[in-house]
Amino acid sequence: KAMCSGRLQTALLVAGYFVYLLVGAAVFQALERTAEKQEKMAAAQMKEAFLQNFTQLTVAEMEQFMKNLIEAIQNGVYPVGNESQFEESNWDFSNSFFFAGTVVSTIGYGTLHPKTAGGQIFCVFFALFGIPLNIVFLHRVGKMLSLLCKKLGKFLYEKGMRKKKIKFLTLLFFLVTGILVFLCLPSVFFQITEGWSYSEGIYFAFITLSTIGFGDYVVGKQSDRKYFSYYRVLVAIWILFGLAWIALLFNL
């Protein structure tokens, strides 16, 4: 009964956690998408005006254009290519879910952030409740993985192995397995999808899972590459379970 109750609690926690992220993603999308469209239209008009008059611009006007361009890029608007690129949103569902995941995990790359007053206020409350929920989620998943450690240890003990050796081998097994699953293999995936070098993929994976999150490398941000649907959702799920693996290592 206790085991069934524990499994039910875990299932409800996992379901509630992902529902929280899904709802958060939907709200961020609703709050930010319209403002982003207006910002992209303004950037397109600025670019068009520059192309028509760039030979007649004064130094002051040129500097103002550069300031506006830098501000647009900092806000995630890249006025390059044709108008079809302006139809692609930084706040589609995949990007919004990815953002919600980086908020509750406290990574905070800084490349995507709410700019409307409603989005910023919602982000405060979303993080306020989401970060503790994330901690509870990681603790529960880490606890489940630690049960696998105990089962492995019990199996080795029945084979006549000493406890100290069992502890060392268990830690080594989950350390090596985690490095392969959460660092080495994803880095190959990032190398293919993002066009990064393998070392850059390893660097991004470590900086992300350690929650440092510099923001110098972020997935799905290159305007000249085509990404498959829900690419960033998969990366967000990789981050969440990668953080659970880190939590398991701390438990061990």
Side-chain angles (χ1 to χ4, degrees), residues 24-95:
V27 173
F28 281 121
Q29 185 181 18
L31 291 171
E32 295 295 324
R33 204 162 186 176
T34 303
E36 184 200 31
K37 280 183 182 178
Q38 293 171 351
E39 202 165 3
K40 285 189 173 185
M41 285 174 64
Q45 290 168 359
M46 177 188 71
K47 177 186 174 183
E48 189 178 346
F50 171 77
L51 292 174
Q52 288 176 355
N53 304 306
F54 71 95
T55 55
Q56 302 169 8
L57 293 178
T58 63
V59 174
E61 288 171 334
M62 190 66 184
E63 286 183 350
Q64 186 60 48
F65 170 77
M66 294 299 292
K67 286 179 182 177
N68 293 339
L69 181 63
I70 291 168
E71 186 179 345
I73 292 171
Q74 287 175 341
N75 289 331
V77 176
Y78 301 92
V80 294
N82 54 36
E83 289 183 5
S84 64
Q85 286 182 303
F86 287 89
E87 294 173 7
E88 297 175 5
S89 176
N90 290 320
W91 290 101
D92 59 16
F93 187 76
S94 181
N95 285 325

Side-chain angles (χ1 to χ4, degrees), residues 2 5 78 88 104 132 144-145 154 159 173 177 179 222 239:
S5 176
Y78 301 92
E88 297 175 5
V104 299
M144 284 173 62
L145 292 173
K154 189 178 178 182
K159 295 292 181 181
F173 172 76
T177 304
I179 287 172
Q222 299 184 63
I239 289 172

Side-chain angles (χ1 to χ4, degrees), residues 103-170:
V103 168
V104 299
S105 60
T106 70
I107 295 171
Y109 291 116
T111 53
L112 185 64
H113 51 274
K115 290 173 276 295
T116 64
Q120 290 170 349
I121 295 298
F122 176 73
C123 187
V124 170
F125 287 100
F126 181 76
L128 193 64
F129 294 100
I131 291 170
L133 177 61
N134 183 65
I135 293 169
V136 173
F137 169 78
L138 293 180
H139 176 72
R140 180 55 66 95
V141 175
K143 202 172 180 182
M144 284 173 62
L145 292 173
S146 66
L147 291 175
L148 293 176
C149 293
K150 287 181 181 179
K151 287 182 180 180
L152 177 63
K154 189 178 178 182
F155 172 77
L156 294 174
Y157 185 73
E158 287 171 354
K159 295 292 181 181
M161 198 174 286
R162 288 186 298 174
K163 285 187 177 181
K164 283 187 178 180
K165 195 173 183 181
I166 288 170
K167 284 183 180 179
F168 173 75
L169 288 175
T170 303

Side-chain angles (χ1 to χ4, degrees), residues 219-237:
V219 296
K221 296 300 289 182
Q222 299 184 63
S223 57
D224 59 337
R225 299 188 78 88
K226 285 287 182 184
Y227 301 101
F228 60 88
S229 299
Y230 300 107
Y231 165 56
R232 297 190 99 194
V233 170
L234 291 176
V235 175
I237 292 170

